[in-house]
Amino acid sequence: MQFLDLSGATTQILCERMFPWELFTSCGECFGGGLNGFAQALWQLHGSALTDEARETMMDPAFLTGRIMRHTAPNVVPVGILHFDYNMLNPWALDLGILTLTSDDRLIHNPAVPGLVFVQQTVLYPSILATSVKRGPLTLKFTRELFFHNNPTNPLVSITVRNGTQSGSDTLITIPLSALTTGSGEYLVNISTNYFWELIFTFANGDVAYFFRQNGLNLAD
């Protein structure tokens, strides 16, 4: 990697600097892996940053626990969100000859072959920042202090919390992103963990992503 021209990594985040990135590619439409999974994902993003400017869009993972505790209270758990554009090596670059390996195993750009060395991807990684919650009433706390992003090309415009009820109908509470970027930068949503719940993210281009209650989050009586 040290012999590549990194100027084409337009996001200043290059995933090949850190391994593995399976956390981002396999989480699918399910919440991230709770407190530990989110911390690991932030650590990977932070380590993949190519510049101080990119690292400043996140935070030093060493200080994450303290920030989470500041927003945690009895029956109140914070929600962490990572939303980043990032670069990865073009998976076809070697096959197409855009990149080549030298005799001493250095990966270099082949100037004789035009093509993209890097491609751009986006990760959206939300997670309840707790390992367990009690059954029954729960308050989800959304705060800009735990919403990390690098102004991705397709930004979020709202988050909707969907929660089932005893009557079988659903309660929908929509949070405009402006609630996390202006004023106090905090928004509280009351739900019941006794029923189905999910987060619905809406993007500027109209796309929607659904994230169900995360795997591995224990419900305690």
Side-chain angles (χ1 to χ4, degrees):
M1 297 294 294
Q2 61 179 315
F3 301 102
L4 280 179
D5 177 4
L6 300 179
S7 61
T10 54
T11 66
Q12 301 177 46
I13 299 172
L14 182 60
C15 73
E16 277 82 5
R17 290 197 67 188
M18 297 289 285
F19 293 93
W21 266 54
E22 285 83 357
L23 279 171
F24 292 155
T25 58
S26 65
C27 64
E29 295 186 341
C30 189
F31 281 115
L35 177 59
N36 294 332
F38 187 87
Q40 175 74 8
L42 178 62
W43 175 78
Q44 288 182 250
L45 269 171
H46 193 268
S48 298
L50 297 173
T51 63
D52 289 340
E53 180 182 359
R55 281 183 284 272
E56 287 170 1
T57 63
M58 310 165 207
M59 68 172 296
D60 188 330
F63 300 108
L64 178 63
T65 299
R67 187 172 294 189
I68 291 171
M69 294 302 297
R70 190 161 65 242
H71 293 284
T72 301
N75 289 332
V76 178
V77 296
V79 178
I81 302 171
L82 301 173
H83 188 206
F84 285 86
D85 287 342
Y86 67 91
N87 290 106
M88 61 183 293
L89 288 175
N90 180 350
W92 301 105
L94 277 171
D95 291 341
L96 296 174
I98 300 168
L99 294 177
T100 186
L101 281 173
T102 64
S103 57
D104 54 354
D105 291 330
R106 291 183 300 164
L107 187 66
I108 62 172
H109 179 220
N110 181 358
V113 180
L116 290 175
V117 176
F118 304 101
V119 294
Q120 184 169 306
Q121 302 288 333
T122 301
V123 57
L124 173 63
Y125 192 98
S127 187
I128 302 298
L129 299 180
T131 55
S132 66
V133 297
K134 290 186 176 181
R135 295 184 185 276
L138 179 70
T139 298
L140 301 179
K141 184 174 185 180
F142 297 83
T143 170
R144 66 171 156 224
E145 288 202 337
L146 293 167
F147 174 39
F148 305 110
H149 63 93
N150 61 351
N151 295 311
T153 52
N154 187 20
L156 292 169
V157 295
S158 68
I159 306 168
T160 298
V161 181
R162 178 187 175 200
N163 189 205
T165 64
Q166 189 172 8
S167 65
S169 59
D170 291 337
T171 297
L172 297 173
I173 300 173
T174 297
I175 309 164
L177 253 290
S178 59
L180 303 183
T181 57
T182 60
S184 67
E186 295 182 355
Y187 203 98
L188 302 178
V189 177
N190 296 319
I191 67 168
S192 172
T193 62
N194 291 329
Y195 305 103
F196 171 86
W197 49 288
E198 68 177 345
L199 300 184
I200 305 169
F201 291 83
T202 302
F203 298 87
N205 70 351
D207 286 350
V208 177
Y210 299 85
F211 290 81
F212 308 109
R213 192 195 79 201
Q214 68 196 48
N215 291 331
L217 180 66
N218 297 317
L219 293 178
D221 293 322

